[in-house]
Structure formats: structure tokens, C-alpha cells
Amino acid sequence: MPTKTLQIPTADGQADAFAAFPDQGERHPGVLMYADGFGIRPVLREMARELAGHGYYVLVPNLFYRHGPAPVVELPEHIGEEVRPQVFAQLMPFIEEHTAERVLSDADAYLRFLTAQPEVSAGPVAVTDYCIGGLLATRTAAAHPGQVAALAAFHGPVGVDGPDNLAKLTAEAHFGHAEADLTPEALGELNQALDTAGVDYTSEIYPGTIHGFTMSDTDAFNSAALQRHWDRLLPLLDRTLANS
């Protein structure tokens, strides 16, 4: 499985990024993968390689490149509950400084770079994400309705920007929520907003999960939910990017 470490030109400098893609000498549909708040690390690289193995060029940018290359803070091999508060205390200033304007500016640069890669086929792309990346991916898909054909967000705050932003979505979407993040009532309100907006979507709570359930290097990891995530993500990409 070929991988690369790349530098993406942006309006504010160079964003380091990880890319994985099939070793077949062909062009493949592009997927922009937003990391969770902990950023690019071994588990994210492994997930990108897993997805690439299904026939996609996967680009994972360092969201907080303005503060240095990934990882922007030192991370333990396992991010357990005993170290999570300390790590998040270091990351929160970066998250708070990552304004909507920065998100959209970076998204333009990421998509421009992704679609220009020689291994990426012409046609629409997908955006997938985890945790805070869910908000970033939703904003990216809403801002690029003609380019993003699929949106998959897992344990992310996808409804934070309200129904007006959801109404801009033209991508087919899947939202996989942690049980500890969203009440059934809140899920109903989100789904009603998606219905009103006419979005083609699935949106569900993954049973028995807490925030971060896809990440195997955290205490939140749930192996059954991770498999459910793949079972939802791969058919979505196959439907929307098959002709790319």
C-alpha cells in the first residue's frame, strides 16, 4: 500500500498531510479524511490505509498545521481517561482558533490539492471524518455541493451550524452518532432538519457507544461500532463514487 507525506499549499502556509492509495498504477476516486481532535497518528494512518485498500485515494490533512506539523502535541500510544484532560487542555486553544473561515479556506485548498493528484480520477469526491472533523466535513460538503458527492461523519457535532447549513448539502450523507453524544430527542430534531432540507441521508445512534468509538488508541474504542462504521461507509462510497 503506497503512502506519502505531503505538503498542501494553503492561504496561510503549508499543511502537512498523509496520503494512502492502491498500488495499481491507476487513478482512483478521492476521499478527504478529516481526523479527530487528536490529529494524524498511527490509528489514523491505519484507517486511511484500510480505506485505500478498497480502491480510494485517501488524503488526511493536519488540521492544526498553523501550530506545527502533526502531531502538534505529544501523544501517548494509548489516550486513556487519565491523560485525556491534559491532552485536550493543550489542544483546545488550537480547536478554538480553527474558525469557520479557516475551515472553509483550508477546505478549498485540500480539495484543490486532492483533485490535482495524478493518482486521483476525475469526478466527484467524498469527505469522511471523526469527532470535530464531523463539523469540518459537513461545512466542506455544504460549501462544495457540486464536488462532494458523499459525506460520512462519525461521532461528530454535525448539526452545530444549524439547519441553514444542512440545507446546502447535496451529498448523500451518513451520520453515525455515539449513544453518549446524542439523545433520541436530539437525533429526531437533527433528522427532521435533514428531512426538511431534502438531504439524502441515514442518521443513527450506534448502540452502546461513547464519543470516539472508532479510535482504537482510546478508551472509547468499540470494535463492533468500528465495523458498523465500515459497513455504512464503504457502500456509501461505492454508490456515490463508482463512476469516478
Side-chain angles (χ1 to χ4, degrees):
M1 177 69 60
T3 63
K4 293 181 179 179
T5 299
L6 301 165
Q7 295 291 324
I8 304 175
T10 76
D12 292 329
Q14 299 279 328
D16 53 304
F18 176 80
F21 48 94
D23 186 15
Q24 298 170 354
E26 301 172 353
R27 302 176 76 190
H28 305 276
V31 178
L32 175 60
M33 178 183 284
Y34 283 111
D36 62 358
F38 297 125
I40 301 173
R41 58 197 193 281
V43 67
L44 260 298
R45 295 187 182 95
E46 180 55 37
M47 294 181 79
R49 285 191 291 264
E50 173 76 16
L51 184 53
H54 292 274
Y56 300 100
Y57 183 105
V58 184
L59 179 68
V60 190
N62 171 18
L63 307 179
F64 307 129
Y65 67 88
R66 293 173 179 84
H67 303 280
V72 292
V73 302
E74 185 176 350
L75 296 172
E77 288 186 14
H78 183 80
I79 307 170
E81 289 304 317
E82 70 284 357
V83 299
R84 179 184 290 264
Q86 177 185 349
V87 172
F88 257 111
Q90 297 175 73
L91 288 171
M92 279 309 299
F94 307 151
I95 294 172
E96 291 169 354
E97 290 176 18
H98 204 55
T99 61
E101 291 75 17
R102 284 186 172 184
V103 170
L104 295 180
S105 176
D106 287 348
D108 290 346
Y110 299 156
L111 290 175
R112 185 166 54 247
F113 184 88
L114 173 62
T115 55
Q117 297 311 296
E119 302 90 354
V120 175
S121 56
V125 301
V127 183
T128 185
D129 56 80
Y130 306 94
C131 184
I132 187 63
L135 175 59
L136 276 54
T138 303
R139 287 174 173 170
T140 299
H144 296 269
Q147 188 173 17
V148 178
L151 164 64
F154 300 95
H155 49 81
V158 295
V160 167
D161 288 338
D164 288 347
N165 201 55
L166 295 175
K168 300 174 185 176
L169 292 175
T170 60
E172 182 179 346
H174 173 71
F175 301 116
H177 312 285
E179 188 173 66
D181 282 349
L182 206 64
T183 65
E185 293 75 19
L187 176 66
E189 292 175 2
L190 173 63
N191 292 353
Q192 180 59 54
L194 292 165
D195 288 336
T196 301
V199 178
D200 183 3
Y201 76 96
T202 56
S203 175
E204 60 183 341
I205 292 173
Y206 285 28
T209 56
I210 61 175
H211 185 75
F213 59 77
T214 57
M215 296 295 141
S216 63
D217 62 350
T218 74
D219 287 349
F221 179 60
N222 183 309
S223 60
L226 175 63
Q227 184 57 53
R228 185 180 184 128
H229 139 283
W230 289 120
D231 291 343
R232 299 296 191 267
L233 175 60
L234 295 175
L236 171 65
L237 300 185
D238 186 55
R239 287 193 302 272
T240 55
L241 303 183
N243 297 322
S244 297

